[in-house]
Amino acid sequence: MRDQGDGQDRGAPRDGGEPPAGAADPEPRRGRPRSAAAERAILDAVIALLEAGEPLAGLSIERIARTAGVGKATIYRRWSGKEELFVDVVRDMEPDDPPVSGTAGLADLRVMLESVRTRGLAQRSSVLLHNMFAQMKSHPKLWDEYFGTVIAPRRVAMLAAVRRAVAAGELRDDLDVELIDDLFVGPMLVRTVHRPDAPLPDDLADRIISALLQGLAPAGARG
């Protein structure tokens, strides 16, 4: 059954809010493959509307569905509401998270630090992505959704890499792992978030790791 773009799907709300309780979904959630083309059209529709100057707060599910050429129920089969959809739009625009071994310590940590750097570069080069982050932070529910589904899992993965590095003898075992993690991530976040004009050279992750491993005291004062 082909989705129609007139926004009149039964079971979908008329105002772009959450679907009414107990409303029947025109198509079952299980047993039907998702349409990659429909998902791509929906994500592209949000991006097109934002590029046209629409604020996040002003976008309704009905408007997005009409622009994508699908019904509202098609959107609600994939996302519970606008916050979840917008988070996926931001993730779609960001560089993909790189694969890590899940067994290495410092090597995995280096890959994840490099990912922070490349996301910073992406945000700098995309006015739209920069503006979306700015708008998300002014909408607590949206920011909480992004933090919980994107930022928090990345932090968990990084902490796990720090613990592996400690267990492998690559890092000190007498410090709190969260402090160690902050010491690695902090400089990269300062460069990518708090100093938008600061350089982000290709070897920045290596330089941060090297500086922390060697320490900041002069060579003669170490020991």
Side-chain angles (χ1 to χ4, degrees), residues 41-72:
I42 293 164
L43 295 174
D44 287 345
V46 176
I47 293 171
L49 289 168
L50 292 171
E51 287 178 334
E54 293 285 347
L56 284 174
L59 290 182
S60 68
I61 293 296
E62 183 171 8
R63 178 79 181 279
I64 295 167
R66 187 166 61 248
T67 303
V70 302
K72 289 187 289 185

